[in-house]
């Protein structure tokens, strides 16, 4: 099937899912379209499994979904196209000065928390599989830990905006989700090389990969962000500004990949530099954003909806076994426990402890949503013995994370605000105003 036909089908399904969600389901937009797509996938699987539709049915071809998903290279689409655009859209919308005030908690969670979670998931999953009789090498479990530990910036930024979360907590979780991709990808590459026998775990190799990915990504992001900012300051037409930002994201992401530095980290840094310009997020006297900011807000919304629909439809392409489904359900609490430990360890560092009260640790654990990045990394694994199992377990964790955790974040946030209000009654009015603004 031609790619433009596939695009047309996916956009149509996304628009219909968004409409059904707005009129009937009334769930948060990202969750609603994914639930709709999951329902479509389940119906498709039941048709094939139990023959609820015959091959000669004239009004529908039950193989359309297989043809569409067979044309889509999900991991390439997410990691090489959507991720850069969505990271930039999220970064330009963040107040850099406010984020700077939370720099130590964000840095601790993005680096230390992600590493602790990676090895925590790896060892706990290895013990779980071994106790159930599944013969899985530790290196594969660590590889799973690397791909499932980073919180997905697309899922987090999309859902946190509607959760009425206290501002400082939102900044920590959002900032962590933007920055932890660099360390997680570097860890993933190291473990992938070890699993394939192409590299050994040595101090020099770890320092080399992490240094190239993270430091190189930051420096490259500062370079292209500074160039783009100077060009934007000297441009008058809104159409040209939009084109410059598009070139920054798409061209910068591609060049970062060629240079073998962290493309996601580079785009986040560049986005923060561009978003820091007052003219970018300027609101006029009529309450309207600048055309460039409006364009990226639209890109953020449309690509989010497309990605969550694709995540729901991807269930059709995954080869689920009943044993994999049970293991996926069993791994969900393991991932949550490992994230809790990661945040708890991050809390121990100087200057960070006071920013992480225990109830905040519980909330951040639940708010650590996984999404398309984890699924894309799982699909990028070579065709090894346990690849299908890793993909199935990853998908189970992602679906639980987005649907169940995503739907209950608002309730958790209200509990967190009530706790803080009891200690500091002066924040009650502020938080009430913020919640009313979010609902509006």
């Amino acid at each position: 099937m031609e790619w433009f036909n596939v695009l047309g089908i996916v956009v149509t399904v996304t628009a219909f899912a968004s409409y059904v969600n707005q009129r009937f389901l009334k769930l948060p937009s990202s969750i609603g379209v994914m639930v709709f797509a999951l329902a479509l996938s389940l119906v498709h699987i039941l048709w094939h499994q139990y023959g609820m539709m015959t091959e000669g049915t004239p009004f529908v071809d039950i193989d359309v979904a297989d043809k569409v998903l067979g044309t889509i290279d999900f991991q390439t689409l997410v990691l090489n196209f959507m991720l850069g655009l969505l990271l930039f859209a999220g970064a330009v919308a963040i107040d850099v000065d406010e984020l700077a005030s939370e720099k130590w908690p964000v840095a601790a969670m993005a680096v230390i928390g992600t590493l602790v979670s990676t090895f925590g998931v790896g060892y706990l999953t290895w013990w779980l599989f071994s106790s159930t009789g599944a013969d899985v090498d530790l290196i594969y479990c660590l590889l799973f830990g690397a791909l499932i530990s980073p919180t997905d910036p697309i899922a987090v930024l999309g859902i946190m905006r509607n959760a009425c979360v206290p501002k400082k907590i939102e900044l920590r979780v959002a900032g962590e989700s933007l920055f932890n991709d660099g360390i997680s990808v570097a860890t993933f590459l190291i473990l992938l090389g070890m699993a394939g026998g192409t590299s050994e775990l040595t101090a020099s190799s770890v320092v080399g990969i992490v240094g190239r990915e993270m430091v190189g990504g930051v420096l490259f992001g500062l370079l292209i962000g500074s160039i783009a900012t100077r060009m934007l300051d000297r441009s008058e037409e809104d159409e040209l500004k939009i084109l410059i930002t598009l070139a920054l994201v798409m061209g910068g992401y591609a060049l970062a990949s060629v240079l073998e530095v962290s493309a996601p980290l580079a785009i986040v840094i560049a986005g923060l530099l561009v978003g820091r310009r007052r003219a970018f997020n300027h609101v006029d006297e009529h309450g309207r954003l600048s055309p460039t900011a409006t364009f990226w807000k639209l890109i953020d919304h449309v690509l989010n909806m497309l990605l969550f629909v694709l995540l729901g439809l991807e269930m059709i392409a995954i080869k689920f076994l009943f044993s994999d489904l049970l293991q996926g359900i069993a791994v969900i609490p393991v991932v949550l426990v490992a994230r809790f430990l990661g945040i708890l360890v991050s809390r121990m560092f100087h200057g960070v402890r006071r920013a992480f009260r225990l109830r905040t640790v519980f909330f951040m654990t639940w708010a650590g949503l996984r999404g398309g990045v984890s699924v894309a990394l799982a699909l990028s694994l070579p065709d090894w013995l346990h690849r299908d199992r890793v993909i199935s377990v990853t998908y189970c964790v992602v679906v639980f994370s987005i649907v169940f955790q995503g739907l209950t974040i608002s309730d958790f946030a209200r509990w967190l605000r009530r706790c803080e209000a009891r200690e500091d009654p002066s924040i009650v009015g502020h938080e009430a105003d913020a919640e009313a603004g979010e609902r509006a």
Side-chain angles (χ1 to χ4, degrees), residues 226-418:
S226 299
I227 294 174
T229 300
R230 293 177 66 87
M231 294 175 67
L232 289 170
D233 289 338
R234 289 163 173 75
S235 302
E236 298 180 358
E237 297 180 359
D238 293 321
E239 294 83 356
L240 178 58
K241 293 180 180 179
I242 292 173
L243 187 59
I244 290 172
T245 53
L246 272 176
L248 167 64
V249 177
M250 302 181 74
Y253 200 95
L255 185 55
S257 300
V258 171
L259 296 175
E260 296 185 348
V261 299
S262 176
L265 190 55
I267 295 303
V268 168
I269 296 297
L272 291 173
L273 285 179
V274 172
R276 192 175 185 180
R277 297 173 61 254
R278 293 184 177 180
F280 188 89
N281 290 308
H282 174 69
V283 179
D284 63 19
E285 62 274 11
H286 302 292
R288 293 175 298 192
L289 282 171
S290 67
T292 311
T294 302
F295 170 80
W296 281 103
K297 189 175 181 180
L298 177 63
I299 288 290
D300 183 39
H301 180 75
V302 171
L303 288 185
N304 259 296
M305 296 302 100
L306 288 173
L307 177 58
F308 280 94
V309 164
L310 287 173
L311 271 175
L313 295 177
E314 195 66 21
M315 184 170 69
I316 298 173
I318 294 176
K319 300 175 181 178
F320 274 105
L321 297 176
F322 184 70
S323 59
D324 294 339
L325 180 61
L326 292 178
Q327 289 174 349
I329 295 173
V331 164
I332 290 171
V334 168
V335 174
L336 290 172
V337 168
R339 174 164 173 79
F340 178 82
L341 293 175
I343 299 175
L344 206 59
V345 172
S346 302
R347 181 175 177 260
M348 297 177 182
F349 284 78
H350 177 70
V352 177
R353 184 180 179 85
R354 287 180 297 177
F356 286 79
R357 296 178 179 177
L358 190 59
R359 61 171 175 263
T360 305
V361 175
F362 279 109
F363 176 80
M364 289 182 172
T365 299
W366 196 251
L369 306 180
R370 275 71 177 182
V373 172
S374 293
V375 175
L377 287 174
L379 290 170
S380 71
L381 292 172
D383 192 17
W384 292 333
L385 178 62
H386 300 294
R387 179 177 183 269
D388 290 340
R389 176 178 293 168
V390 171
I391 293 172
S392 300
V393 172
T394 300
Y395 195 79
C396 289
V397 174
V398 167
V399 170
F400 176 87
S401 172
I402 294 175
V403 177
F404 292 96
Q405 292 177 233
L407 284 175
T408 53
I409 282 180
S410 294
D411 295 329
F412 225 133
R414 282 192 288 270
W415 167 78
L416 189 65
R417 288 200 305 274
R418 285 196 298 268

Side-chain angles (χ1 to χ4, degrees), residues 186 205-219 260-262:
S205 65
V206 171
V207 172
I209 294 177
V210 172
R212 184 183 71 241
E213 287 281 333
M214 297 187 65
V215 178
V218 170
L219 294 177
E260 296 185 348
V261 299
S262 176

Side-chain angles (χ1 to χ4, degrees), residues 28-31 34 152-165 170 304 308 367 369-370 401-403 405-410 438:
S29 55
S30 300
I31 301 175
M34 184 172 177
D152 190 287
I154 302 165
V156 169
L157 294 174
I159 294 174
M160 289 285 286
R161 293 190 189 104
N162 301 318
C164 299
V165 179
E170 181 182 352
N304 259 296
F308 280 94
L369 306 180
R370 275 71 177 182
S401 172
I402 294 175
V403 177
Q405 292 177 233
L407 284 175
T408 53
I409 282 180
S410 294
E438 290 289 346

Side-chain angles (χ1 to χ4, degrees), residues 25 69 92 102 115-116 120 133 136 168 191 220 266 294 307 322 360 362 418:
L25 300 179
L69 293 173
V92 294
E102 300 293 328
L115 287 175
V116 171
V136 181
K168 285 187 176 181
L191 294 171
F220 184 69
T294 302
L307 177 58
F322 184 70
T360 305
F362 279 109
R418 285 196 298 268

Side-chain angles (χ1 to χ4, degrees), residues 38-98:
L38 285 170
L40 285 182
S41 298
L42 184 60
V43 169
H44 179 275
I45 292 171
L46 289 174
W47 283 344
H48 276 281
Q49 186 71 24
Y50 299 105
M52 294 175 63
M53 299 195 69
T54 62
E55 188 176 350
T57 303
F59 58 88
V60 66
D61 179 3
I62 61 176
D63 293 325
V64 167
D66 297 310
K67 294 176 182 177
V68 170
L69 293 173
T71 305
I72 298 173
D73 186 350
F74 185 86
Q75 62 267 32
T76 301
L77 178 66
V78 173
L79 296 178
N80 295 341
F81 177 68
M82 284 187 168
L83 183 58
L85 294 169
L86 287 166
L87 284 175
F88 184 82
V92 294
I94 290 182
D95 190 311
V96 178
D97 295 329
E98 290 182 350

Side-chain angles (χ1 to χ4, degrees), residues 417-436:
R417 288 200 305 274
R418 285 196 298 268
C419 292
E420 294 188 350
R422 284 196 295 267
E423 296 182 1
D424 185 4
S426 64
I427 68 173
V428 174
H430 172 74
E431 295 294 349
D433 293 341
E435 183 171 355

